[in-house]
Amino acid sequence: MVAHHQALQMAADLFLRMTSSLLDVFDGDVLNGVVFLAIARANVHHLPAWVSADGAGADGIAPDSVRRPISVLRIADSMGLSYETVRRRVNQLVADGYCCRIGRNGVVVSADVVRRVEFIPLATESGTAVRALVRDVHRSRVLEDPVQGLVSPGSLSGLKA
């Protein structure tokens, strides 16, 4: 049970750090920020996070040619929000230039948007928060399996604090 409480604390820390950064980018509107992240992540979800996409720049940002549109309905379903709420938020994000409609296929956050200066602090904070999370996980009992004991260190070889 200790591991579960530690995991909850770590998840809350990560969420709150990211929420603070989203508030800065989206003028205090955290829901627009979360919808934006849902779109941006869904557009490249088919690509492994640890592998650079073909043609990706040195910054590791996937090019528009591999981004897949996502419908408002799929965003709403994935977030557990009403279609109308997400539709209004997406319309605002489109009007503000954060994403664009691709015909009737859905919306996409372009690589150029991800590269905007206002997202640099968010990307920096994301890296810092993830490193802190990995560090805290290694220092905690979160990786303990209540049935089999500690997860083998070899299974964590790709994680660095």
Side-chain angles (χ1 to χ4, degrees):
M1 194 58 107
V2 170
H4 295 299
H5 292 295
Q6 289 176 338
L8 179 60
Q9 286 179 319
M10 288 178 214
D13 288 345
L14 180 68
F15 176 78
L16 292 171
R17 288 180 80 162
M18 297 312 304
T19 300
S20 176
S21 295
L22 285 174
L23 289 171
D24 293 341
V25 174
F26 291 95
D27 298 325
D29 191 334
V30 72
L31 187 53
N32 273 3
V34 172
V35 170
F36 170 84
L37 288 178
I39 296 166
R41 183 64 190 122
N43 294 159
V44 296
H45 185 68
H46 61 286
L47 303 172
W50 58 89
V51 177
S52 291
D54 289 338
D59 56 9
I61 295 173
D64 293 343
S65 61
V66 298
R67 291 174 182 272
R68 294 181 182 167
I70 184 166
S71 71
V72 172
L73 181 60
R74 289 210 35 213
I75 298 164
D77 287 347
S78 74
M79 297 180 73
L81 296 172
S82 74
Y83 173 82
E84 187 57 30
T85 295
V86 174
R87 185 192 67 77
R88 284 193 308 269
R89 299 302 178 135
V90 168
N91 285 345
Q92 185 65 55
L93 291 169
V94 169
D96 292 344
Y98 287 111
C99 60
C100 60
R101 294 191 187 284
I102 306 296
R104 297 181 58 87
N105 296 323
V107 290
V108 171
V109 173
S110 73
D112 286 342
V113 169
V114 177
R115 288 185 182 100
R116 285 185 189 167
V117 172
E118 69 241 45
F119 288 103
I120 292 172
L122 179 60
T124 301
E125 180 60 27
S126 297
T128 301
V130 168
R131 283 188 296 279
L133 175 66
V134 171
R135 182 198 63 230
D136 291 347
V137 164
H138 280 283
R139 292 177 179 169
S140 73
R141 298 177 67 181
V142 169
L143 297 176
E144 291 181 13
D145 182 322
V147 176
Q148 299 185 13
L150 192 62
V151 174
S152 68
S155 66
L156 303 175
S157 60
L159 298 177
K160 295 185 180 183

